[in-house]
């Protein structure tokens, strides 16, 4: 067997045909022990970022920053919500690049401890600037999302990466669901549950501390889980002593020193590349598509009505489809087709908003309106398939394995920017649409504008490669003579 064939045999799965002649891929088993830990760690960011949403307006009123002007509450709530992603955008790429040198575990632990301390501080804040500083630290110290995706790619291979990435949206949506539940049920506990917390003066003085303390404590526990149970995936990471002694350029060389001793010829694939060498078309295209996906998704969630029963149904169906269908659909149609179909599915979702609104005006909350609303929520599940696909594209775009953290950091930086500006942009368009002086397009201008954004996303996706390593069949090895 030749070396080239041996390498292909090791890295790519064998494609077989089922009874219908469709490709049936042989998957390597997912390393569940480490994979499960990463999924649990993923909960920390959505928990800490979403927990404040239920009590944020009340908190803004209580600290007195609006001076009784109710019209300014929304503005300050928006600032407080967006600042997490704004500060994350400024630091996430740097954390990811650092993880390429010192290893994934130290960066993840710093991020988790940063989330924990900043949430405790948020619960103890009694001024608007205290909230801003705490929220800024929350985002700035949290570079974990890109690092964890890099780690996930490093513990999987092209045969099972699609199945592994299918679970990431579930982890995020679980945290995003539990966060508001915690924030809504545990804020002002002394008033809500006087028999349990009524005698605790501290909780009367800091009524939002308990709600913040739950995700903060979870993050702290997750930090120790990382320390004792998560295995490092970066080979020969630099020690703290080396980091303090060397410049970044020297650190990259030093990191490969042990490899040079073992092998006189060091492949560039073992060395993290400088940032300028990562800003190549394939990385920019993959990261740009992730940004488009994020802005489409977050604007949809910003204007979509939150109805408890429907969102619960959405969460259950989304989890089932991701686990049992995404891998099969990906293997059948390929990464690019599934990605484009997923993001294009949002177009009818936006189109249903005016239809449901007009029917509700005529029929009220009739069975037809409820059926269309439920159908719209279930249709919006399809975009979740695009996340698994775009993660595969980002992983495949990395010039070498040693720079995977940096590539994920670039992509996550763009996404954080979109998540910072997306909700404000969607709400501004909505306000402009229903403005009583103009009432653009009968109040439906927001849906037309966002539909145009969705139409642009598939065009941007055409620049993605047609196939990735997870799509490629394995060539049967030939026996060497």
């Amino acid at each position: 067997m030749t070396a080239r064939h041996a390498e292909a045999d090791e890295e790519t799965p064998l494609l077989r045909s089922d009874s219908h002649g469709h490709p049936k891929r042989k998957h390597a088993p997912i390393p569940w022990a480490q994979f499960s830990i990463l999924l649990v760690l993923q909960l920390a960011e959505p928990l800490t970022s979403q927990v404040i949403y239920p009590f944020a307006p009340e908190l803004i009123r209580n600290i007195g920053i609006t001076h009784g002007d109710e019209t300014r509450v929304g503005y300050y709530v928006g600032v407080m919500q967006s600042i997490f992603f704004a500060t994350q955008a400024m630091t996430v790429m740097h954390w990811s690049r650092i993880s390429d040198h010192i290893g994934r575990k130290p960066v993840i632990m710093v991020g988790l401890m940063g989330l924990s301390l900043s949430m405790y501080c948020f619960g103890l804040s009694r001024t608007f600037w205290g909230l801003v500083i705490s929220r800024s630290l929350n985002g700035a110290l949290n570079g974990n999302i890109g690092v964890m995706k890099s780690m996930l790619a490093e513990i999987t291979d092209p045969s099972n990466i699609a199945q592994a990435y299918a679970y990431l949206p579930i982890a995020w949506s679980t945290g995003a669901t539990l966060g508001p539940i915690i924030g809504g049920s545990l804020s002002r506990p002394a008033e809500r549950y006087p028999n349990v917390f009524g005698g605790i003066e501290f909780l009367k003085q800091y009524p939002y501390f308990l709600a913040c303390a739950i995700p903060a404590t979870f993050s702290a526990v997750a930090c120790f889980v990382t320390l004792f149970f998560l295995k490092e995936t970066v080979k020969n990471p630099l020690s703290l002593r080396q980091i303090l002694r060397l410049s970044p350029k020297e650190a990259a060389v030093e990191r490969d020193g042990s490899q040079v001793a073992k092998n006189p010829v060091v492949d560039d694939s073992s060395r993290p590349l400088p940032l300028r060498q990562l800003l190549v078309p394939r990385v920019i295209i993959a990261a740009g598509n992730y940004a488009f996906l994020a802005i489409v998704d977050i604007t949809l969630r910003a204007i979509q009505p939150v109805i408890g029963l429907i969102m619960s149904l959405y969460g259950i169906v989304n989890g089932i489809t991701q686990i049992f269908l995404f891998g099969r659909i990906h293997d059948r149609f390929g990464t690019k087709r599934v990605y484009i179909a997923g993001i294009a599915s949002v177009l009818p979702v936006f189109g249903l908003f005016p239809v449901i609104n007009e029917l509700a005006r005529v029929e009220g909350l009739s069975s037809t309106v409820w059926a269309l609303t439920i159908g719209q929520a279930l249709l919006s599940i399809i975009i979740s398939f695009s996340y698994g696909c775009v993660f595969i594209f980002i992983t495949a775009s990395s010039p070498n394995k040693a720079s995977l953290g940096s590539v994920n950091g670039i992509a996550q930086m763009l996404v954080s920017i979109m998540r910072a500006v997306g909700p404000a942009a969607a709400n501004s368009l909505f306000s402009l649409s229903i403005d009583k002086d103009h009432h653009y397009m009968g109040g439906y201008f927001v849906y037309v504008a966002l539909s145009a954004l969705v139409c642009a996303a598939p065009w941007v996706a055409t620049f993605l490669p047609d196939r990735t390593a997870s799509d490629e069949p394995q060539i049967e090895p030939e026996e060497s003579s």
Side-chain angles (χ1 to χ4, degrees):
M1 184 184 299
T2 65
R4 180 176 61 85
H5 286 148
E7 182 181 355
D9 185 58
E10 180 182 353
E11 294 187 355
T12 55
L14 178 64
L15 283 182
R16 298 174 179 172
S17 296
D18 59 17
S19 58
H20 302 287
H22 296 151
K24 185 177 181 181
R25 187 178 296 275
K26 182 181 179 181
H27 301 287
I30 293 175
W32 281 105
Q34 293 297 295
F35 182 62
S36 300
I37 294 174
L38 286 175
L39 289 181
V40 172
L41 299 183
Q42 286 260 347
L43 293 174
E45 182 183 345
L47 277 176
T48 54
S49 65
Q50 307 290 314
V51 71
I52 71 168
Y53 281 21
F55 61 79
E58 184 181 71
L59 175 59
I60 290 297
R61 294 188 190 99
N62 290 345
I63 62 177
I65 188 67
T66 63
H67 303 290
D69 185 354
E70 192 67 19
T71 62
R72 302 180 66 189
V73 172
Y75 167 76
Y76 285 105
V77 169
V79 169
M80 194 167 59
Q81 291 174 346
S82 296
I83 201 167
F84 172 89
F85 294 110
T87 53
Q88 185 184 63
M90 292 187 287
T91 62
V92 65
M93 183 180 69
H94 301 291
W95 285 119
S96 297
R97 283 185 61 77
I98 289 172
S99 76
D100 284 337
H101 293 282
I102 69 172
R104 314 296 185 207
K105 280 183 63 172
V107 173
I108 290 175
M109 291 175 62
V110 169
L112 289 170
M113 195 54 66
L115 286 177
S116 179
L117 294 176
S118 61
M119 283 308 298
Y120 282 126
C121 292
F122 191 90
L124 295 172
S125 299
R126 303 184 68 178
T127 66
F128 179 72
W129 287 110
L131 297 175
V132 168
I133 293 172
S134 300
R135 198 68 172 161
S136 298
L137 290 174
N138 200 322
L141 294 175
N142 179 36
N144 287 354
I145 190 70
V147 177
M148 289 181 187
K149 289 174 185 173
S150 303
M151 209 168 194
L152 191 149
E154 289 163 341
I155 65 173
T156 56
D157 60 42
S159 73
N160 59 17
I161 193 171
Q163 285 68 35
Y165 275 143
Y167 288 85
L168 291 189
I170 301 173
W172 177 273
S173 61
T174 300
T177 300
L178 292 176
I181 292 174
I182 294 170
S185 60
L186 296 182
S187 60
R188 296 183 291 106
E191 297 178 24
R192 292 173 182 268
Y193 315 105
N195 293 334
V196 180
F197 301 107
I200 304 177
E201 191 63 31
F202 176 82
L203 293 179
K204 294 180 180 178
Q205 188 176 4
Y206 301 98
Y208 306 104
F209 178 80
L210 183 60
C212 295
I214 299 299
T217 304
F218 174 86
S219 298
V221 172
C223 181
F224 288 102
V225 170
T226 302
L227 174 63
F228 293 112
F229 299 105
L230 190 64
K231 296 179 181 179
E232 181 59 71
T233 56
V234 173
K235 296 180 180 179
N236 303 312
L238 292 174
S239 65
L240 178 60
R241 182 179 179 182
Q242 290 172 307
I243 292 296
L244 294 176
R245 188 181 61 189
L246 300 177
S247 68
K249 183 178 293 186
E250 293 171 328
V253 176
E254 179 70 17
R255 179 188 156 198
D256 296 303
S258 58
Q259 298 176 5
V260 173
K262 298 176 183 177
N263 185 357
V265 180
V266 179
D267 189 351
D268 282 343
S269 63
S270 66
R271 184 175 302 169
L273 298 175
L275 180 60
R276 64 180 180 277
Q277 293 185 24
L278 297 178
L279 298 179
V280 294
R282 65 181 185 182
V283 173
I284 295 172
I285 289 171
N289 274 274
Y290 189 16
F292 254 94
L293 174 62
I295 192 70
V296 168
D297 191 24
I298 203 164
T299 51
L300 170 62
R301 308 307 171 191
I303 64 174
Q304 194 171 34
V306 179
I307 303 172
L309 180 61
I310 293 179
M311 294 311 295
S312 298
L313 178 64
Y314 169 89
I316 294 171
V317 176
N318 184 37
I320 293 173
T321 55
Q322 286 290 317
I323 294 173
F324 295 105
L325 294 181
F326 174 72
R328 297 180 181 181
I329 293 174
H330 171 271
D331 290 350
R332 177 69 180 87
F333 296 102
T335 310
K336 188 172 183 177
R337 289 180 180 177
V338 176
Y339 173 78
I340 293 176
I343 201 167
S345 70
V346 182
L347 193 59
V349 174
F350 281 131
L352 280 171
F353 279 114
V355 175
I356 294 172
N357 190 46
E358 291 297 327
L359 282 175
R361 289 179 179 178
V362 176
E363 303 179 7
L365 296 178
S366 64
S367 57
T368 303
V369 172
W370 277 110
L372 286 174
T373 303
I374 294 174
Q376 182 193 47
L378 295 179
L379 185 61
S380 66
I381 288 175
I382 301 176
I383 193 177
S384 297
F385 286 178
S386 295
Y387 278 98
C389 294
V390 82
F391 296 155
I392 292 173
F393 279 119
I394 291 169
T395 299
S397 73
S398 181
N400 62 16
K401 291 183 178 180
S403 301
L404 187 57
S406 300
V407 170
N408 271 296
I410 293 171
Q412 201 62 45
M413 177 187 67
L414 296 179
V415 169
S416 296
I417 293 172
M418 295 298 104
R419 287 175 174 164
V421 303
N427 290 327
S428 297
L429 285 172
F430 187 80
S431 299
L432 182 64
S433 300
I434 63 175
D435 181 84
K436 62 182 180 180
D437 295 329
H438 300 93
H439 210 59
Y440 293 104
M441 295 184 177
Y444 298 136
F445 173 71
V446 58
Y447 307 120
V448 175
L450 295 180
S451 295
L453 179 66
V454 176
C455 290
W459 175 77
V460 176
T462 60
F463 294 94
L464 290 166
D466 292 330
R467 301 180 71 84
T468 66
S470 63
D471 299 315
E472 292 294 336
Q474 179 183 349
I475 300 174
E476 285 287 357
E478 299 174 358
E479 294 295 332
S480 57
S481 55

